[in-house]
Amino acid sequence: MAASGAVLAECHDALAAEVGVGVTTAHLDAVAEELIRARGGIPAFKGYPGPTPYPASICASVNDAVVHGIPDGYALRDGDVLALDVGVILDGWVSDAARTHGIGTVSPIASRLIDVTRVSLERGIAACLVGNHVGDIGHAVQTEVEAAGFSVVESLVGHGVGRSMHEEPQVPNFGRPGTGVELTEGLVIAIEPMVNAGRHEVILADDGWTIATRDGTLSAHWEHTVAVTADGPRILTLS
Ligand code: MF3
Ligand code: CO
């Protein structure tokens, strides 16, 4: 899984170097797919079952889109908030990670939203200790987000990951300390705070995939695949 995560981290680095004003999300999708396949991997999202099989290798969710935005001919504009989510299968092992980029010069609120969401992921990861519970992760994420005046999306959650992309347990981005499934040595989970600048409610777009904020406010998404080890959390999708 670490090998899979290393390919995914490299892919995210390549995407980070590629994003910018005028770049299309379809181009980013092509860059990601090419890199993953060149490393002997398979894009985990492509063909993933849903209302229709997922048609791309990455999710590119712009501004009020929270997650599962489908790459297309949209050319990024100055000030956009772009969440990129990618999954890799290498030798049968899945890794899953997301980063959010500000395009060009973003508003102060957008910049703070991106930072707070990234820090909330770090807080959640820090709670990935043997003997802790999934509620400790959610509580850590939620505390960080709500202190900033933002809201956690509750209808979408992180998840166990391994031979399949979505395994037990579910990992909500909210919760009470000491509640939920206990974290045991060797468990690998994808922690993925989805944070809205406004209210937490989301809607499903007409394409059947894109999830967007109901109130039209900006949203950000960060995700890592993390192993629970006796030595503490080991992030498998770190550059
Ligand atoms: N990281 C997302 C998730 O855990 C990506 C899934 S996109 C899909 O649900 F197309 F593969 F469904
Ligand atoms: Co995920």
Side-chain angles (χ1 to χ4, degrees), residues 75-165:
L76 295 165
R77 299 165 62 157
D78 191 54
D80 279 349
V81 171
L82 172 68
L84 294 178
D85 191 356
V86 191
V88 167
I89 307 171
L90 188 74
D91 298 330
W93 294 101
V94 183
S95 55
D96 188 4
R99 301 183 189 175
T100 297
H101 302 277
I103 304 302
T105 308
V106 298
S107 68
I109 187 93
S111 171
R112 208 164 63 87
L113 177 70
I114 294 169
D115 284 350
V116 165
T117 307
R118 182 179 44 74
V119 172
S120 77
L121 171 58
E122 288 169 6
R123 299 282 185 266
I125 292 170
C128 280
L129 304 171
V130 174
N132 266 4
H133 296 252
V134 292
D136 294 299
I137 298 171
H139 180 74
V141 170
Q142 180 177 28
T143 301
E144 187 69 27
V145 168
E146 292 179 353
F150 298 138
S151 47
V152 157
V153 174
E154 295 178 0
S155 56
L156 298 155
V157 296
H159 48 91
V161 54
R163 288 287 185 186
S164 305
M165 183 158 65

Side-chain angles (χ1 to χ4, degrees), residues 45 68 85-86 95-98 157-161 165-166 190-192 194 221 223-225:
F45 297 175
H68 303 171
D85 191 356
V86 191
S95 55
D96 188 4
V157 296
H159 48 91
V161 54
M165 183 158 65
H166 294 128
I191 306 175
E192 49 180 318
M194 290 151 270
H221 180 210
E223 176 179 27
H224 271 305
T225 296

Side-chain angles (χ1 to χ4, degrees), residues 3-92:
S4 177
V7 171
L8 181 45
E10 185 187 355
C11 182
H12 267 297
D13 288 346
L15 291 171
E18 206 72 28
V19 297
V21 173
V23 174
T24 67
T25 53
H27 171 71
L28 297 173
D29 184 58
V31 167
E33 178 164 11
E34 194 173 322
L35 188 143
I36 292 166
R37 294 198 192 279
R39 298 292 176 272
I42 299 167
F45 297 175
K46 202 153 207 181
Y48 195 83
T52 54
Y54 190 72
S57 297
I58 70 171
C59 301
S61 306
V62 181
N63 294 332
D64 62 316
V66 179
V67 287
H68 303 171
I70 300 172
D72 60 14
Y74 176 78
L76 295 165
R77 299 165 62 157
D78 191 54
D80 279 349
V81 171
L82 172 68
L84 294 178
D85 191 356
V86 191
V88 167
I89 307 171
L90 188 74
D91 298 330

